[in-house]
Amino acid sequence: MITYLLFDLDGTLADTLSGIAHFVNRTTAAYGLSSLSQDRVKSFVGNGAKILLERSFSHLGAALPEGALDYYNALYDAHSNHDLREYEGITPLLTALKEQGMKLAAGGVQWCRAGDGFPTLGKSEVLPEDYGWIIPK
């Protein structure tokens, strides 16, 4: 019997692409490079922040500078709910699963870094009872 469900946050429970693109562009700007379109950033997403940044900098003709990943992660830590949007139907889905007795957790490559009222969820932590946690306050 399944009693625990682990969801990926980015792109599964919540639309985080706009925020990710924002942080990538703030990082490239900090190193004197231009911005990338959200569609371009989307094409680089999927293997974690370091590879995302390597692809982004490479596309702009540069190697990933030392410290760029730390810079990006610091931005993400401080503002992880930037333009974060719950996908339609997620709250009813999570509520229905809870009512069936499932224990739910969410994570991702960065395991939901905390910031701006967004709860910290580690690999083994269970979501709080209030499923409004995805929507920034």
Side-chain angles (χ1 to χ4, degrees), residues 78-137:
H79 308 283
S80 61
N81 69 351
H82 180 84
D83 203 18
L84 177 71
R85 288 168 286 180
E86 175 182 315
Y87 284 121
E88 185 176 336
I90 292 300
T91 295
L93 169 66
L94 296 177
T95 300
L97 291 170
K98 178 189 167 217
E99 288 171 356
Q100 293 176 28
M102 297 288 173
K103 297 199 185 308
L104 308 174
V109 173
Q110 297 175 333
W111 291 102
C112 306
R113 295 169 181 268
D116 294 335
F118 195 71
T120 302
L121 301 173
K123 291 181 182 177
S124 64
E125 294 176 29
V126 176
L127 288 172
E129 294 296 312
D130 174 13
Y131 293 122
W133 63 271
I134 295 176
I135 304 206
K137 297 183 183 339

Side-chain angles (χ1 to χ4, degrees), residues 15-28:
D15 180 355
T16 57
L17 180 59
S18 177
I20 290 169
H22 173 78
F23 299 132
V24 165
N25 286 326
R26 288 208 30 208
T27 303
T28 58

